[in-house]
Amino acid sequence: MSAPPSGARFEQRPVLITFNEASAFKETYGGPSDLVVLEGFHLRRPDASTRTVCVFMHPTATLHLLLFPRALARRGVAVLCCGSRYPHNDSALILEKVLIDLGRVLRHARADLGYEKVVLIGWSGGGPLTAYYQSQADNPTVTATPAGDPIDLGDLPPADGLIQIAAHLSRATILTEWLDPAIVDERDPTRRAPELDLYDPDGAAPPYDPAFVAEFRAAQVARNRRITAWVKDTLADLGRRGGPDVERAFVTFGTMADPRWLDPMIEPNERTPGRCYLGDPAEVNNGPAGLARFSTLRSWLSQWSIDDSLGSTERNGPHVAVPALVVENGADDACPPSHPDRIHASLGADKERYRIAGADHYLRQRAHLEQAVDLCVDWMTRKGLLDGVPT
């Protein structure tokens, strides 16, 4: 597949989708209590006649400024990037409600924009979201959130294809693999167990002994479960008390302590040792922009609990009935190489897997970006999912 003609341009038009939904309490800031607002952008070349649109949604981001969807649009692929009801703030996010939002986007793509086929593209955290969505669209089984609140997912329109690129398995899995097990007091991140402290200059140093890594991983899971137990106890206590006080917000410290960042021999790929996609992992570990830094009780169970969250591709992949493509970025410094392996293994339908050597999480090198576009356009064309793309 050749690159787009020199000077090829696409139009970028704003999208606004609104609908009413009854809620027990307000969980997003501002606006009427029962009004859901989804914002996004429709990217399309004027000379394209394609009847297929690629839909991007991440739990907390709109993604229209990401290099990859814009490169697809320059190639002539129609793209719809939409945010969920939780833009740029996942502290109160409920994954099951994001599925409802994504369903509204698919309806808008077909009914209002006139597209006949929809391909879901799950980049990074959008990967497990799109797999969860498609599994429930094909076979709805979930009737309540992990906190027990009723949810209706019985009318989600299915997509026609699924692409996973630079994706991880689930928010709960990736958080647990990054949790700092050296923290012994959830209220005070300075109280630490030195034998599990990756950032203690006198502690274990890479390359790490496999026994240390196994102990570290077990302690990460144990910490996730301790937080989850506290969350459930607190929810139960609020329920017993009654009244208007039904939710709590809390802070989780230490969410960027993964031995892979410091030891390149653990799940080796072409990433830079000592770095992660947010920079220096030691600084990110307790910094303000860490994963799951701020959360509510219900959001923790839906997004971050390793035992309770339902948003795992390993759980949902076997129930995806449409063709699927998995693309691994070879120098990914966010999603580790074991995740695309497990994603591909879990998908139950027609599936293919590719690796782009040297590509980082954001596809910042032009050659890698063009290779990703080539892979996706070729795959969609071969599967009968795409036509009308200008040459």
Side-chain angles (χ1 to χ4, degrees):
M1 180 70 66
S2 61
S6 176
R9 295 289 185 268
F10 59 87
E11 296 177 344
Q12 179 173 286
R13 296 182 178 178
V15 171
L16 184 66
I17 302 170
T18 63
F19 59 97
N20 290 102
E21 181 183 279
S23 177
F25 56 90
K26 185 69 174 169
E27 59 185 9
T28 57
Y29 188 80
S33 296
D34 295 338
L35 180 67
V36 178
V37 178
L38 311 177
E39 297 180 87
F41 288 89
H42 181 207
L43 316 179
R44 184 183 174 106
R45 268 177 56 180
D47 59 338
S49 60
T50 179
R51 295 167 292 176
T52 297
V53 65
C54 290
V55 170
F56 286 76
M57 182 179 278
H58 184 280
T60 65
T62 307
L63 301 182
H64 65 289
L65 297 178
L66 194 69
L67 293 171
F68 181 54
R70 300 180 75 82
L72 280 172
R74 280 195 297 273
R75 183 65 60 86
V77 179
V79 173
L80 183 57
C81 295
C82 274
S84 74
R85 70 185 72 186
Y86 309 100
H88 312 297
N89 186 351
D90 60 3
S91 56
L93 187 147
I94 304 298
L95 280 174
E96 289 71 27
K97 293 187 178 183
V98 179
L99 300 191
I100 293 173
D101 298 347
L102 185 50
R104 291 283 179 158
V105 173
L106 264 68
R107 285 194 180 89
H108 179 79
R110 292 192 173 110
D112 299 315
L113 299 180
Y115 290 105
E116 296 178 8
K117 293 182 181 180
V118 174
V119 176
L120 287 176
I121 299 188
W123 172 82
S124 193
L129 171 66
T130 53
Y132 190 10
Y133 176 89
Q134 187 65 27
S135 72
Q136 290 302 301
D138 286 336
N139 180 33
T141 59
V142 174
T143 58
T145 71
D149 299 316
I151 196 83
D152 183 2
L153 302 178
D155 192 29
L156 300 177
D160 301 286
L162 180 68
I163 294 175
Q164 305 269 293
I165 181 165
H168 58 69
L169 281 163
S170 76
R171 307 203 101 196
T173 301
I174 203 72
L175 171 69
T176 305
E177 293 177 349
W178 294 353
L179 271 181
D180 188 348
I183 290 180
V184 297
D185 185 342
E186 294 298 332
R187 298 167 298 180
D188 183 0
T190 66
R191 295 187 59 196
R192 305 177 63 77
E195 69 276 9
L196 292 173
D197 192 348
L198 293 183
Y199 306 123
D200 184 342
D202 298 322
Y208 297 114
D209 184 273
F212 170 80
V213 175
E215 179 186 7
F216 192 93
R217 293 300 190 203
Q220 288 177 308
V221 173
R223 184 182 173 209
N224 185 295
R225 288 173 172 161
R226 286 196 302 272
I227 296 172
T228 298
W230 174 82
V231 164
K232 291 181 176 180
D233 287 347
T234 305
L235 273 174
D237 183 59
L238 292 174
R240 286 190 294 267
R241 291 170 182 262
D245 193 7
V246 297
E247 186 57 286
R248 285 281 187 276
F250 64 98
V251 174
T252 302
F253 295 105
T255 59
M256 192 53 78
D258 189 334
R260 286 179 295 220
W261 304 138
L262 307 181
D263 186 348
M265 298 311 297
I266 301 175
E267 294 191 31
N269 66 2
E270 297 156 273
R271 64 187 183 271
T272 300
R275 306 290 294 177
C276 70
Y277 76 112
L278 291 175
D280 181 347
E283 295 177 358
V284 177
N285 197 37
N286 290 311
L291 204 66
R293 182 69 73 245
F294 309 100
S295 182
T296 64
L297 305 173
R298 287 172 171 80
S299 182
W300 176 272
L301 294 178
S302 181
Q303 292 189 91
W304 309 119
S305 169
I306 194 65
D307 295 317
D308 296 272
S309 176
L310 304 177
S312 166
T313 301
E314 282 189 312
R315 176 185 184 275
N316 298 308
H319 308 291
V320 171
V322 297
L325 171 67
V326 179
V327 180
E328 174 191 353
N329 289 0
D332 205 322
D333 53 3
C335 299
S338 62
H339 284 224
D341 287 340
R342 293 163 66 182
I343 290 169
H344 182 259
S346 72
L347 292 167
D350 174 18
K351 58 189 178 182
E352 295 182 21
R353 186 191 190 291
Y354 295 93
R355 181 178 188 273
I356 302 176
D360 69 8
H361 190 59
Y362 293 97
L363 292 165
R364 282 175 284 202
Q365 295 294 321
R366 181 171 180 176
H368 301 146
L369 181 63
E370 291 181 355
Q371 187 176 351
V373 172
D374 286 345
L375 283 171
C376 293
V377 170
D378 175 71
W379 177 81
M380 287 188 287
T381 302
R382 286 190 289 106
K383 297 301 177 182
L385 297 170
L386 182 66
D387 61 6
V389 174
T391 57

